[in-house]
Amino acid sequence: MLNSSLSPSSTELVISILDLVLKEGKPLDRAYSQHFSGLQLEPSELGRITFVTGDILRRLNLYCYLSDVKPEEMVRMGSRLLNVWHLFHQLPLPKMQYALQVDENDLAERTEIARQQPVLWDGCPDWLNEMGQAQLGDRWPAERAALNKPAKRFIRVNTLKCTRDELAKKLRNERVQTEDVEGVDTALEVVSDSALFKTECFKKGWFEQQDAGSQLIATALDAKPGMCVVDACAGAGGKTLSISAQMLGKGRLLAMDVEQWKLDNLKQRARRAGAHNVETRIIASSKTIKRLKLTADRVLLDVPCSGLGVLKRNPDAKWRDTPERLPILVALQKDILQSYSRMVKVGGILIYATCSIMPEENRDQVDAFLAANKHFSFIEEDNISPAETGFDGFYYAKLERIAEA
C-alpha cells in the first residue's frame, strides 16, 4: 500500500496504461513495456505506478462504480477515478492539472452500497462469478476474495549457484529483506520495497522471480540428473530453469514452444542461471513431437489456459475476452495433452498443469484423457489455492505411462 499520493507525471502514466489495456485490449505487461520504455524512473516510483494500476484493474468495476466512470472513458474521466481511488484508500489527492472533482458525500453513499454487494466489492465481473459458482461451489467466495489481493513477491533460489540461506544473506547485504516460504524449499518472499533486479544476486543468476505455487509444479516433476526431460510449453522458461536445477545441470532438458521469441528469452535466462543442459526447440509442426515419441523420462505440459488462477498478477484478464476464448483454450488443452503425451516413455512421468483454478481446465481434462488413454495411470494431483496459500492459483496432475498405446 502507498503512504502518499502519486506524482502528476505518474497519474498521467497510470491513466495512459489503463486506457491502453481497456480500450485497445493490450495485455498489461505489454502496456507497461510500451509506456516505461525509455523512461528513467526511480524503482520506488515504478513500483507505485504498477501498484496503483494493478489495484485498479483488480477491482475495476468497483472503482468505476464508485467514481461513476466507464472503462472506455479513461482518457477523459480517468482523473476522477484516480481521485476516488486515493480517497477510498485514505490518501491525499494527487496533483493533476485537469483533475475532475469528486462529490465526497456521493462517494460515501456509493461505498456503503458497494459494501453490501460482495461480488462488486471483490472486483469480480458477472461472467467470472457465475463460472466460479458453477465450478467451485462453496469454495468460490474465498477464492474470489483472494484473487483481488495484490500479488506477493516470490523468488526461486537457483540451487545451481547457492542455497536459500546464502541467497537470503546476500540479499540482506543488498538491503533486500526476505522470508522463507513454508512448504516450498526453493522459495523466498520479498518483504521489502527493493529494486530486486538491480541487485548483484540477480545479475549473477542466484535467483529468478517465480511464484511459490509455480515452483511446486516444477518440484512435482521430480526430475533427476541424467534424465531426458521435456518442458513442452516452456514459454520464457521459469519452470525450465527450476527443472535444470533439480537435474543439477546434468542430462538433457529440452524446452519447447511455438513462439521463438520466448525461447530466445529463455536462452538468455539460462546463461545467467548457469543452466547449461537446457536445449531450446521451436515446435514447427506435429512432426517435432512425433520425432520424440517414447523418449522422455519426464514431460511437463504447462498448457495455455485462461489464467484464472493468476488474476492477482494479471488482473486485465478479467476485462478481456476470456469467456469467449475459454472454449477454444479447453479444446487446445485437450489436443496438447493427447498429442504431446506421446513423448513419455513407458515408466515415465507426465505432469499436466495450468494456472487456472477451474475444474473444466483441470481435473475434467485429466479424467477425459485417462478415459481415452488406458496406457496412462493417475498418481496424484494438487489444487494450489490462492485462498489457502496466498500464492497464485495453479493445478497439476501427475500421470505415469504404464504401457505403450
Side-chain angles (χ1 to χ4, degrees):
M1 169 58 68
L2 301 180
N3 53 19
S4 62
S5 60
L6 288 170
S7 68
S9 59
S10 294
T11 59
E12 292 177 10
L13 273 171
V14 169
I15 290 171
S16 296
I17 292 167
L18 290 171
D19 182 64
L20 197 58
V21 169
L22 298 172
K23 202 168 183 180
E24 298 185 27
K26 184 82 73 173
L28 181 57
D29 57 347
R30 297 186 188 179
Y32 283 146
S33 296
Q34 181 172 325
H35 279 85
F36 294 155
S37 178
L39 293 180
Q40 298 296 319
L41 292 170
E42 289 293 324
S44 58
E45 193 64 15
L46 188 66
R48 291 153 69 88
I49 293 168
T50 57
F51 178 88
V52 175
T53 306
D55 190 73
I56 289 173
L57 286 172
R58 276 187 291 274
R59 305 170 81 181
L60 179 69
N61 52 350
L62 172 65
Y63 295 124
C64 283
Y65 169 73
L66 296 179
S67 59
D68 196 20
V69 172
K70 297 177 182 177
E72 62 270 20
E73 298 177 319
M74 203 55 60
V75 168
R76 188 169 62 89
M77 306 287 286
S79 63
R80 185 161 76 192
L81 186 143
L82 272 177
N83 277 340
V84 162
W85 186 91
H86 281 78
L87 289 170
F88 182 83
H89 291 286
Q90 300 180 333
L91 294 169
L93 291 179
K95 295 178 181 178
M96 291 181 276
Q97 188 173 1
Y98 301 107
L100 295 173
Q101 299 304 308
V102 177
D103 183 330
E104 295 193 32
N105 290 328
D106 180 65
L107 174 59
E109 290 179 11
R110 286 175 178 264
T111 300
E112 285 308 307
I113 292 171
R115 284 184 191 277
Q116 308 307 312
Q117 302 178 53
V119 178
L120 176 62
W121 193 255
D122 288 339
C124 185
D126 290 339
W127 69 264
L128 178 56
N129 191 58
E130 291 168 6
M131 181 186 297
Q133 286 181 326
Q135 296 199 33
L136 296 175
D138 293 343
R139 292 188 291 134
W140 171 240
E143 300 293 0
R144 184 185 66 211
L147 288 172
N148 76 34
K149 301 294 189 293
K152 296 179 179 180
R153 297 175 78 191
F154 293 106
I155 58 176
R156 178 186 59 80
V157 57
N158 179 11
T159 53
L160 290 171
K161 296 195 171 187
C162 62
T163 66
R164 183 163 70 171
D165 288 345
E166 288 171 340
L167 175 60
K169 182 177 179 180
K170 287 281 188 181
L171 286 174
R172 193 158 55 245
N173 292 338
E174 296 194 66
R175 299 183 180 180
V176 179
Q177 299 300 316
T178 62
E179 294 178 354
D180 290 354
V181 179
E182 185 178 354
V184 189
D185 293 341
T186 55
L188 288 170
E189 181 184 353
V190 179
V191 294
S192 59
D193 184 13
S194 309
L196 200 57
F197 300 114
K198 291 189 175 183
T199 62
E200 286 300 311
C201 287
F202 178 73
K203 293 173 185 176
K204 292 178 179 178
W206 281 36
F207 71 86
E208 290 284 339
Q209 184 161 281
Q210 185 179 15
D211 185 80
S214 177
Q215 295 180 44
L216 289 173
I217 292 174
T219 300
L221 193 64
D222 192 28
K224 306 292 187 185
M227 282 184 171
C228 176
V229 180
V230 179
D231 184 355
C233 307
K239 296 182 183 67
T240 306
L241 299 181
S242 180
I243 295 166
S244 179
Q246 285 182 41
M247 299 173 73
L248 305 179
K250 299 174 183 178
R252 187 186 187 198
L253 176 51
L254 187 57
M256 307 173 72
D257 204 88
V258 295
E259 296 187 89
Q260 185 63 49
W261 69 271
K262 292 182 179 179
L263 296 176
D264 291 341
N265 188 2
L266 170 55
K267 288 178 185 178
Q268 294 179 3
R269 296 175 71 186
R271 280 195 294 269
R272 185 178 63 241
H276 301 306
N277 66 329
V278 174
E279 174 189 343
T280 61
R281 183 175 301 179
I282 191 76
I283 302 175
S285 70
S286 60
K287 291 180 181 178
T288 308
I289 305 301
K290 289 179 181 177
R291 292 190 188 104
L292 293 165
K293 184 178 179 180
L294 296 171
T295 63
D297 297 288
R298 301 285 188 269
V299 172
L300 172 60
L301 299 181
D302 185 14
V303 297
C305 70
S306 64
L308 295 178
V310 295
L311 292 176
K312 292 188 291 185
R313 208 169 300 279
N314 301 309
D316 49 311
K318 293 182 184 182
W319 318 112
R320 293 205 306 267
D321 58 346
T322 303
E324 290 76 19
R325 290 190 306 114
L326 189 55
I328 299 170
L329 287 168
V330 169
L332 178 60
Q333 292 161 2
K334 182 179 180 180
D335 181 66
I336 289 175
L337 182 53
Q338 184 62 50
S339 177
Y340 291 22
S341 63
R342 289 180 290 179
M343 293 185 287
V344 184
K345 65 169 60 172
V346 177
I349 298 297
L350 170 69
I351 294 282
Y352 171 84
T354 74
C355 54
S356 174
I357 57 175
M358 298 299 172
E360 180 181 9
E361 299 180 84
N362 297 337
R363 186 57 189 262
D364 292 357
Q365 290 280 32
V366 172
D367 285 344
F369 173 78
L370 291 171
N373 295 271
K374 300 300 184 182
H375 50 286
F376 276 88
S377 67
F378 179 84
I379 299 176
E380 65 180 16
E381 68 177 352
D382 193 6
N383 292 282
I384 300 168
S385 158
E388 293 175 4
T389 65
F391 308 158
D392 285 338
F394 296 92
Y395 170 84
Y396 73 80
K398 191 171 186 175
L399 313 177
E400 180 183 5
R401 179 187 278 272
I402 55 176
E404 293 189 22

